[in-house]
Amino acid sequence: MKLALLGPEKRTYSELRLLKECKQIFDTVTYFPIQKVVIEFDGELSVIYRGKNILDYDAVLPRIPRSYLHFGLTVLEMLKGTGIKMPIAPEAVLHTHNKFLTLILLARHEIRIPKTYLSLKRKALEFVLENVKYPVVLKTVYGCMGKGVMFADSKESAISIMDLLENLHQPVFVEEYVKNPGEDIRAIVVGERVVAAMKRKAKAGEKRANIGVGGIGENYRISEEESELALKAARALQMGIAGVDILPGKKRPCVVEVNVYPGLKGIEAATGVNVAKEIACYMLDLCSK
Ligand code: ADP
């Protein structure tokens, strides 16, 4: 079987781990740097890098950086209907890029999410600030690694953050604060299983639990309810591989984000699980379906 890994030119820990594990079980594994591929139509469609065509492979494992979202999406859309196996539907890339849209799609599948509001204008959302409990969460729609998540302790602070978002021509995204002790859960879904889960704890004085902003990850025994939630979220977004972020909540857990290309470094270090191998085996299974 032949696997193509479509990722950034500069490989990160995750791509290197995936390459290593995929090479153990696939006959051929080729790395296609997204910045260097050429999409051709010369009577036939092809996606070429150094004379190799992605369309000659059995499966494609995408790890496309956000900065190349639309080009990457074009490639994935081209692969639709060709018989090449992919772990995610191409539209999942677009849907999960937009955090607000992700939540809306999850809600449509009756997956618990925080109360959320979106508008281009701060004024249109001021009514929310009258009734909401503080702190309230303000986010950029396209942020990642905790950068773009802000907390406001009062209506006044919320308004100034909303003004900033509006001024930067960013949609104003307001979310109810889900009470938690500075902790969240990252569940890695591969196929029909949660293969690894970690609890991330925010550093002192910080509400965001992301490892990128100083949070610490530790192995977590995920509950059945949380596991079901993660699987349901991945299914709703048509993803066979997903990093689902869950806040335990007071009564029931809710999903705050779904990552289409979850990083492997933090989760492998925290849990000791060979997530890259799980993904490689899943890709091979897909090829036989
Ligand atoms: P990112 O994609 O940048 O990681 P998230 O939306 O996952 O952004 O939020 C980052 C972190 O902020 C979460 O892991 C969690 O610790 C905290 N957080 C996010 N949303 C909420 C919320 N509604 N209530 C409480 N904490 C939140």
Side-chain angles (χ1 to χ4, degrees):
M1 289 291 174
K2 292 172 74 176
L3 176 92
L5 210 162
L6 182 64
E9 194 172 1
K10 196 164 181 287
R11 301 163 198 195
T12 68
Y13 172 93
S14 303
E15 286 81 50
L16 293 170
R17 288 281 302 118
L18 287 166
L19 270 174
K20 182 172 175 223
E21 296 299 338
C22 289
K23 280 180 178 167
Q24 308 274 342
I25 57 171
F26 277 86
D27 303 314
T28 304
V29 178
T30 306
Y31 195 83
F32 284 78
I34 187 89
Q35 291 99 315
K36 295 210 164 155
V37 302
V38 177
I39 303 175
E40 276 182 23
F41 179 72
D42 183 13
E44 261 183 55
L45 280 171
S46 34
V47 181
I48 305 286
Y49 170 63
R50 286 195 176 160
K52 290 183 174 148
N53 185 357
I54 276 198
L55 281 101
D56 294 332
Y57 286 71
D58 298 293
V60 172
L61 176 56
R63 300 275 313 180
I64 303 160
R66 282 166 176 253
S67 33
Y68 305 110
L69 172 82
H70 291 287
F71 185 81
L73 192 62
T74 308
V75 175
L76 298 188
E77 278 292 340
M78 278 180 59
L79 302 179
K80 249 186 176 175
T82 59
I84 295 173
K85 305 295 182 186
M86 283 194 287
I88 50 164
E91 47 272 42
V93 178
L94 206 54
H95 295 158
T96 54
H97 181 63
N98 179 330
K99 272 189 205 181
F100 189 83
L101 189 55
T102 303
L103 293 182
I104 298 309
L105 294 173
L106 294 178
R108 211 182 260 167
H109 286 81
E110 285 162 13
I111 293 165
R112 200 157 170 264
I113 59 160
K115 285 183 190 162
T116 49
Y117 308 85
L118 187 76
S119 175
L120 289 174
K121 295 288 167 200
R122 176 261 272 184
K123 271 218 159 309
L125 284 182
E126 270 187 32
F127 77 96
V128 176
L129 304 181
E130 298 298 340
N131 307 311
V132 82
K133 278 200 192 122
Y134 288 89
V136 70
V137 189
L138 294 120
K139 294 186 181 178
T140 54
V141 171
Y142 306 110
C144 64
M145 290 160 74
K147 303 188 176 141
V149 178
M150 295 151 280
F151 301 86
D153 291 321
S154 65
K155 184 178 168 193
E156 292 68 34
S157 316
I159 286 178
S160 44
I161 297 172
M162 287 160 117
D163 275 345
L164 173 70
L165 290 170
E166 190 179 319
N167 217 23
L168 295 171
H169 305 288
Q170 293 282 323
V172 182
F173 176 6
V174 181
E175 211 172 87
E176 156 199 31
Y177 178 77
V178 180
K179 224 171 164 198
N180 71 87
E183 293 175 0
D184 76 354
I185 296 154
R186 161 67 59 95
I188 302 288
V189 174
V190 179
E192 284 300 310
R193 282 187 308 131
V194 171
V195 298
M198 68 174 161
K199 179 183 270 183
R200 296 182 300 191
K201 293 182 175 178
K203 68 175 183 191
E206 173 62 72
K207 287 192 175 69
R208 298 165 300 171
N210 304 73
I211 291 176
V213 291
I216 305 269
E218 62 179 44
N219 190 34
Y220 179 67
R221 267 180 81 104
I222 194 163
S223 72
E224 206 161 305
E225 185 181 21
E226 291 156 351
S227 176
E228 274 308 311
L229 193 63
L231 293 172
K232 204 170 165 192
R235 237 177 274 134
L237 298 168
Q238 302 181 71
M239 294 158 75
I241 301 171
V244 184
D245 292 348
I246 297 172
L247 285 173
K250 220 170 165 185
K251 290 185 193 136
R252 293 181 56 209
C254 69
V255 176
V256 279
E257 216 209 343
V258 181
N259 297 273
V260 70
Y261 307 127
L264 304 188
K265 197 173 184 176
I267 190 90
E268 289 196 334
T271 62
V273 175
N274 188 338
V275 178
K277 186 175 178 184
E278 295 283 352
I279 292 175
C281 292
Y282 168 66
M283 290 304 298
L284 192 65
D285 271 1
L286 273 187
C287 292
S288 58
K289 280 184 181 154

